[in-house]
Amino acid sequence: MNIVEKILARASGKSSVAPDDVVFADVDKVMMHDVSGPGVLKVFDKLKKQGIAVDKLWDPTKVWVAEDHFVPSADKLSAENIVKLSNFTKNYGIEKHFKYGMGQYGICHTLSHEQAMVMPGDVYVGGDSHTNTTGALGAFAVGLGHTDIAYVLLNGNIWFKVPETYYFKLNGKLPDHVMAKDLILKIIGEIGNDGGAYRTMQFGGSGIDDMSVESRLTLCNMTTEAGAKNGIVEPDQKVVDYLSSKGATNFNIVNGDADAEYAKVFEFESSEMEPIIAKPFSPDNTCVVSEAPSVELDKSYIGSCTGAKYEDLEAAAKVLKGRKVKIRTEILPAAISIYQRAMENGLLKIFLDAGVTVGPPTCGACCGAHMGVLAKDEICISTTNRNFPGRMGHVESQTYLSSPMVAAASAVTGKITDPRDLI
């Protein structure tokens, strides 16, 4: 069996499973945030009206909540949702509540690894489609809808159809000017937005072994944009060291068998990789930066769970140091722990000296809610994960997806720019 099959077999009490088997798997961790949480509360209210008991959760210690999408509160409704979520955590004894502006807060998919909320071998479900991100730690990490999250909260398990697995092999170390975001955009450009539909996208090979954990997180994050059920990388010593540095202990590593079978294998050569963008209006509408259209940009946005981890900020700072941005540029670290580290190590000074606006951790602009949304006809280059019409604001705005290095280089020139032109 491969790693996902092994995780699901263990979680369902079976000796083995195969693609298309349906299993009921025990869940190790469940996450909600300020958008999915209120939806789950509505499901609870419906169950109460039907006479179904919802007075206690299966295990509050395995539940955690983040405030990240509409924070700081964008309007009265979002403020009320935060209050509802706070009351929910109090009433049900959920202690792991990452409150905005208090303690170690940030974007949920960043907290999952920054705060070591998820471990290798876990079955981890979250009320958000980019829960896939945390598969980079060697967990089976998937997003679920409100009803399914409500079921998990009450019962501690959920059914899955075991997905077949596509294996993406990267040979060799990526060049210095190419990031994991470039690789995942290349993959999505080749297989399409539905190329991974209800499949596991597993990443391996010498190039993945060479990658940092944060780079692997970028890959798994955007498996969602390929329609995948989940993304995953087999855990290695880098993962153990990374999580240990965050205070994690008691690892229960799961790896696939040497003779594991995959539905399809895709192979990529690092030496052939170049910086890539996704043009409007789809993540699979890709081209190399050297062939990008010559458009005048209005904004560069470096943020989100996809593109504002610490190494993303380091990459942007490498380009921006000693330079000035030509267009409106916003950098929002994905968690306050990353913000603090960037401040301590001088990255924020580099950004501010370059004329960048630095903001707090939030999903606001990425989902077109607040704190940096686009107006009609505005054109943005962004390190986020989606560029469908209206995703980051007005339905007639345009978003180009890129790596942090490309976004930073483009901020300096005002046009889509290969970072090799500046460094």
Side-chain angles (χ1 to χ4, degrees):
M1 293 185 289
N2 61 45
I3 179 173
V4 165
E5 292 161 357
K6 278 196 165 185
I7 291 173
L8 289 177
R10 185 175 69 178
S12 59
K14 297 180 179 294
S15 58
S16 66
V17 298
D20 294 332
D21 287 353
V22 175
V23 299
F24 255 88
D26 290 337
V27 171
D28 296 290
K29 304 283 172 53
V30 58
M31 180 276 296
M32 299 186 300
H33 54 51
D34 56 313
V35 175
S36 62
V40 173
L41 299 189
K42 289 181 180 179
V43 176
F44 271 38
D45 288 340
K46 289 181 181 178
L47 293 175
K48 287 179 184 177
K49 291 177 181 178
Q50 296 171 14
I52 299 173
V54 294
D55 54 323
K56 64 178 182 178
L57 306 184
W58 114 92
D59 189 343
T61 66
K62 295 184 177 181
V63 183
W64 61 283
V65 174
E67 299 172 4
D68 58 4
H69 274 63
F70 286 80
V71 292
S73 297
D75 50 30
K76 294 178 182 178
L77 177 60
S78 59
E80 290 169 359
N81 281 339
I82 294 294
V83 172
K84 289 179 182 178
L85 206 55
S86 293
N87 291 337
F88 179 81
T89 59
K90 291 176 184 176
N91 294 338
Y92 285 93
I94 300 170
E95 296 182 359
K96 299 183 182 75
H97 183 178
F98 295 94
K99 291 178 174 288
Y100 180 81
M102 299 177 64
Q104 294 300 324
Y105 61 93
I107 298 173
C108 59
H109 309 306
T110 306
L111 295 174
S112 65
H113 54 87
E114 278 287 313
Q115 299 301 317
M117 300 305 298
V118 180
M119 300 290 284
D122 278 356
V123 173
Y124 165 53
V125 300
D128 189 279
S129 61
H130 287 104
T131 302
N132 294 19
T133 306
T134 316
L137 304 181
F140 179 68
V142 297
L144 299 179
H146 302 329
T147 304
D148 286 338
I149 291 293
Y151 185 92
V152 172
L153 289 174
L154 296 172
N155 298 281
N157 57 19
I158 193 72
W159 72 270
F160 294 105
K161 183 176 77 170
V162 178
E164 64 178 10
T165 298
Y166 280 180
Y167 187 83
F168 296 84
K169 184 180 181 182
L170 179 66
N171 298 317
K173 182 180 183 296
L174 287 175
D176 290 341
H177 58 278
V178 175
M179 301 184 70
K181 181 69 170 287
D182 299 301
L183 174 59
I184 192 61
L185 286 177
K186 181 175 178 62
I187 290 171
I188 295 170
E190 290 199 7
I191 70 173
N193 283 339
D194 60 353
Y198 207 94
R199 298 180 177 92
T200 292
M201 291 177 65
Q202 182 174 336
F203 302 94
S206 61
I208 304 302
D209 293 341
D210 180 78
M211 277 188 184
S212 67
V213 172
E214 291 194 355
S215 290
R216 299 173 189 178
L217 287 158
T218 301
L219 296 178
C220 290
N221 175 275
M222 285 195 67
T223 59
T224 302
E225 279 62 54
K229 182 64 177 177
N230 70 300
I232 199 165
V233 179
E234 293 216 13
D236 57 8
Q237 191 60 43
K238 286 185 178 180
V239 172
V240 173
D241 293 344
Y242 179 89
L243 290 172
S244 296
S245 73
K246 310 294 183 182
T249 56
N250 300 321
F251 293 87
N252 194 1
I253 300 293
V254 176
N255 290 109
D257 294 325
D259 59 350
E261 296 184 357
Y262 303 96
K264 197 169 183 178
V265 177
F266 300 79
E267 199 158 351
F268 299 86
E269 300 298 329
S270 291
S271 60
E272 299 173 1
M273 288 293 301
E274 290 190 51
I276 291 176
I277 59 164
K279 298 173 289 186
F281 289 99
S282 176
D284 65 359
N285 186 23
T286 59
C287 72
V288 294
V289 172
S290 59
E291 298 175 2
S294 181
V295 296
E296 296 288 339
L297 298 170
D298 296 292
K299 173 179 172 176
S300 177
Y301 183 83
I302 298 174
S304 83
C305 55
T306 316
K309 300 174 291 299
Y310 185 77
E311 73 172 28
D312 296 324
L313 303 191
E314 279 189 314
K318 182 178 179 181
V319 176
L320 292 172
K321 187 173 183 179
R323 296 186 170 94
K324 294 287 186 180
V325 297
K326 190 175 181 179
I327 56 176
R328 187 168 81 252
T329 303
E330 299 159 5
I331 297 181
L332 284 75
I336 200 64
S337 57
I338 297 171
Y339 195 114
Q340 291 169 328
R341 189 175 168 194
M343 179 177 63
E344 292 165 359
N345 294 340
L347 300 189
L348 297 192
K349 186 178 187 306
I350 291 173
F351 300 150
L352 294 172
D353 288 347
V356 172
T357 296
V358 179
T362 181
C363 305
C366 177
C367 62
H370 68 133
M371 292 208 48
V373 298
L374 302 177
K376 180 181 178 180
D377 297 328
E378 281 199 305
I379 302 175
C380 174
I381 189 161
S382 175
T383 64
T384 53
N385 44 50
R386 290 177 182 163
N387 61 347
F388 305 123
R391 171 66 181 183
M392 289 189 70
H394 197 282
V395 69
E396 293 183 34
S397 63
Q398 297 180 42
T399 299
Y400 289 81
L401 304 178
S402 79
S403 75
M405 290 186 76
V406 172
S410 302
V412 172
T413 65
K415 295 184 178 182
I416 299 171
T417 301
D418 191 315
R420 286 174 292 185
D421 293 346
L422 298 182
I423 57 174

